Amino acid sequence: MQSNTLKEFNTIVKDSSRVDVLFGFCYPSTYRAGMTGLALHIFYAVLNSREDTSCERYFRYDTLSPALSVESRRPLKDNHIVGFSLTYEEDIINLLQMLELGNIPILVDERTENDPIVVVGGPVITANPEPFVDFVDAFVLGEGDLIVHDIVDVVASASSRKDALSRLAELNGVYIPAIPKSRVGRNVIVNLDSLEYPISQIVPDVPDGSPLEPVFGKSFLLEVTRGCGHSCRFCLIGHVCRPRRTRSLSKLKELIDMGTEVTPVRKVSMIGSSLGDLDGLEELVCWSVNKGLDVSVPSLRADSVSEPLLRCLVKSGQRTLTLAPETGSSKLRESIGKGLQDSEIEEAIDIAVRSGYNSLKLYFIIGLPGETDDDVKASADMIVRLARSSGLKVTASINPFIPKAQTRWEREPQPPIDELRRRLKMVEKEVKGMAKVTIETLDPRNARIQAALSIGDRSLGKVIRAAAFYGGYGGWRRAEKETGISFLSVANDAERLQMELPWSFLRK
Ligand code: SF4
């Protein structure tokens, strides 16, 4: 799809000739996905709040061109800094394609004084930047909004590309592969209340249900918490975004008031992991609903669900309860570190039924370390049991285990693709014929690619580069053959996983 007449509210267009720094904020996937993420709104607002900087957006898909900004069709290459937010490992392919289409050399070694500095951040990068070192001038580890002004200041005052990079390397949380340093810290904001927040957010002027509409609909994104107080063994966020921090209730209310004043929406999408742990979530949701706002909250932990909270959410239009049991086996759930009992999950669903919910979304993982066929069967049984007892429509999203760097299961191999398929089929067979149950799965081949990119090392650069121009799983196999680099076996090479890990230097 190509949109050259995209209308939006709250965009900022500055005269490029009157600012010192041109920043291209790039989202290496669809417009819809990029606009759903908070990072885009934060960096757009923070960068454009500077008189000396103009930040414009670029998306891989759905706009006129990935190489021209949405705001003013500014060529990607004209920017001084090109900043990518990498949320999903596989988007590295789109990132390389955007550079290529933007006429920016893909390889760091081939960039010259005339090329922008390519900066990449996000949780995936914070966990393990190593597979991507061939393509990125500067990685930002941890929370980039804490140092974005420093980065711009350095680039604005640098005498050359080399000077900019060597000064960027001195900043905490910036990793320049070409300039090794003994320790690379990550930035963590202590007090969320004190942080600049994007009050005036960009909203596309598209009809409801349009493919360009953000995932939560047209809404004001409200970041309630960062990080998570739990640390389930497989979870990236639970490990690299620690500790859990939260905004005060008074600040959150103030942001909602100010945000819905200048962002033309009547809906608030609350963002944060394990949001139900927030003291006062019920008060915040009900307060918003009583002001006539619609509210959406992400997945809740079953032990944090309460009837008054769900009743307010139903009033605000939310009718699907999202929970993540991860597995139907309580023994395995214990070993994950999830710490939820079957009875707590069942109780949460009873509350949802009483409160007027009409559907459930449940997240499961198959292929977890130590998983047996009985555990897989327990997940299928749980889906059947909950669908029958609740009478609600159930969508069960079942995804293969993906080992992630810097989690407690970073050394655990992923089961082979055929084995993952067999386990998925076991679940599908058990729920077959249940009209109210839908199963969604991630193709184990994609899980294999994600896993390799999560825990791989810098030798993968060549294969990533080749795959960027072929596409699909077949493209990765072709790239593997051409380069002679075993890519697809990275995640279940148990021996390799016992060696020193590529990201171990980040922990020193
Ligand atoms: S799975 Fe959820 S509760 Fe567990 S660490 Fe991750 S975000 Fe937190």
Side-chain angles (χ1 to χ4, degrees):
M1 176 189 10
Q2 216 180 46
S3 172
N4 49 10
T5 52
L6 177 62
K7 285 201 201 117
E8 298 176 314
F9 298 103
N10 290 342
T11 43
I12 299 169
V13 186
K14 295 185 183 178
D15 180 348
S16 298
S17 65
R18 290 176 169 267
V19 294
D20 301 326
V21 180
L22 303 180
F23 194 111
F25 183 93
C26 303
Y27 193 78
S29 188
T30 59
Y31 174 87
R32 174 183 168 87
M35 292 296 287
T36 301
L38 191 61
L40 176 146
H41 299 279
I42 290 177
F43 288 106
Y44 192 76
V46 169
L47 288 160
N48 280 317
S49 71
R50 296 174 62 110
E51 280 200 4
D52 66 349
T53 303
S54 156
C55 173
E56 301 198 346
R57 292 160 301 145
Y58 301 78
F59 299 88
R60 173 64 186 94
Y61 299 110
D62 306 335
T63 54
L64 188 61
S65 159
L68 296 175
S69 68
V70 173
E71 283 77 4
S72 71
R73 303 188 183 184
R74 182 160 84 208
L76 188 62
K77 193 179 167 75
D78 285 1
N79 291 289
H80 299 102
I81 308 172
V82 165
F84 285 88
S85 171
L86 194 70
T87 313
Y88 303 104
E89 293 86 354
E90 283 183 85
D91 284 344
I92 187 66
I93 295 294
N94 291 331
L95 187 156
L96 297 193
Q97 291 171 357
M98 286 178 81
L99 292 177
E100 173 86 359
L101 293 163
N103 213 14
I104 298 168
I106 283 178
L107 295 177
V108 169
D109 290 347
E110 291 176 4
R111 288 184 199 137
T112 66
E113 274 309 313
N114 300 325
D115 293 309
I117 292 177
V118 177
V119 180
V120 183
V124 162
I125 293 300
T126 300
N128 179 21
E130 286 298 288
F132 317 117
V133 294
D134 289 355
F135 320 114
V136 180
D137 293 307
F139 291 103
V140 176
L141 309 183
E143 293 164 5
D145 38 357
L146 203 61
I147 52 158
V148 63
H149 287 303
D150 297 338
I151 292 174
V152 173
D153 288 342
V154 164
V155 173
S157 60
S159 56
S160 65
R161 198 165 206 283
K162 196 167 163 224
D163 178 41
L165 291 176
S166 65
R167 285 168 53 200
L168 285 175
E170 287 165 21
L171 298 176
N172 186 50
V174 176
Y175 167 47
I176 313 267
I179 307 175
K181 56 182 178 182
S182 56
R183 191 181 174 280
V184 189
R186 72 179 165 100
N187 286 301
V188 180
I189 287 149
V190 178
N191 179 1
L192 282 187
D193 276 3
S194 64
L195 203 60
E196 280 179 83
Y197 195 79
I199 298 302
S200 167
Q201 298 178 2
I202 313 164
V203 181
D205 184 10
V206 293
D208 291 351
S210 158
L212 294 177
E213 195 181 44
V215 173
F216 308 122
K218 285 168 281 195
S219 63
F220 176 71
L221 300 179
L222 180 74
E223 184 191 44
V224 180
T225 61
R226 265 190 207 189
C228 180
H230 306 273
S231 55
C232 304
R233 286 174 190 269
F234 62 88
C235 177
L236 185 67
I237 299 301
H239 288 80
V240 300
C241 302
R242 282 190 287 193
R244 172 179 178 271
R245 288 137 296 152
T246 173
R247 287 193 162 82
S248 65
L249 211 52
S250 57
K251 185 74 186 177
L252 290 165
K253 288 181 179 175
E254 185 189 318
L255 292 176
I256 291 174
D257 276 338
M258 293 193 308
T260 51
E261 188 73 38
V262 291
T263 303
V265 290
R266 295 302 295 162
K267 180 175 182 185
V268 177
S269 294
M270 298 192 180
I271 312 282
S273 302
S274 196
L275 217 56
D277 294 346
L278 173 81
D279 287 338
L281 178 67
E282 185 182 306
E283 184 188 332
L284 184 67
V285 168
C286 298
W287 176 86
S288 307
V289 172
N290 290 336
K291 288 170 78 72
L293 297 168
D294 284 349
V295 177
S296 89
V297 296
S299 156
L300 292 169
R301 268 180 67 93
D303 53 3
S304 66
V305 165
S306 73
E307 191 157 342
L309 171 65
L310 294 202
R311 285 200 181 276
C312 282
L313 284 167
V314 165
K315 253 191 184 169
S316 85
Q318 188 157 325
R319 288 296 183 93
T320 300
L321 179 68
T322 305
L323 299 174
E326 318 295 3
T327 165
S329 152
S330 43
K331 191 175 91 268
L332 197 53
R333 213 177 302 125
E334 184 81 9
S335 100
I336 293 173
K338 193 84 189 180
L340 275 181
Q341 302 300 320
D342 283 0
S343 57
E344 289 169 312
I345 297 167
E346 284 154 13
E347 171 65 12
I349 292 170
D350 282 350
I351 294 174
V353 173
R354 289 203 299 274
S355 308
Y357 274 69
N358 56 23
S359 57
L360 282 177
K361 174 114 193 199
L362 301 172
Y363 283 94
F364 291 89
I365 305 176
I366 51 142
L368 286 162
E371 184 182 71
T372 62
D373 279 6
D374 284 347
D375 296 325
V376 179
K377 178 143 187 334
S379 292
D381 289 348
M382 178 180 259
I383 297 167
V384 171
R385 194 171 69 244
L386 295 179
R388 285 204 179 120
S389 63
S390 69
L392 302 181
K393 229 174 96 206
V394 175
T395 303
S397 175
I398 306 176
N399 299 307
F401 165 65
I402 299 174
K404 301 273 178 177
Q406 301 212 36
T407 65
R408 277 182 286 164
W409 274 347
E410 62 189 2
R411 288 185 185 273
E412 293 293 336
Q414 186 181 54
I417 291 176
D418 287 347
E419 177 56 21
L420 290 170
R421 281 206 185 107
R422 187 187 70 80
R423 295 187 203 184
L424 277 175
K425 282 213 179 92
M426 274 178 71
V427 181
E428 282 165 348
K429 197 170 144 216
E430 295 287 328
V431 303
K432 204 170 166 198
M434 294 192 71
K436 286 194 161 181
V437 177
T438 308
I439 301 282
E440 291 173 351
T441 61
L442 173 70
D443 187 328
R445 294 177 302 179
N446 287 85
R448 173 50 48 96
I449 295 166
Q450 271 188 39
L453 293 170
S454 298
I455 56 169
D457 60 24
R458 51 177 64 197
S459 72
L460 299 187
K462 280 196 184 69
V463 77
I464 295 171
R465 188 180 172 207
F469 299 99
Y470 298 144
Y473 184 74
W476 284 100
R477 294 190 64 155
R478 188 171 161 193
E480 204 180 31
K481 262 191 209 136
E482 269 178 26
T483 57
I485 295 167
S486 304
F487 172 78
L488 294 164
S489 58
V490 168
N492 67 348
D493 179 349
E495 198 179 310
R496 201 193 66 85
L497 287 167
Q498 297 316 313
M499 290 158 34
E500 182 162 13
L501 297 169
W503 51 92
S504 57
F505 75 104
L506 294 177
R507 292 181 176 148
K508 285 178 185 151

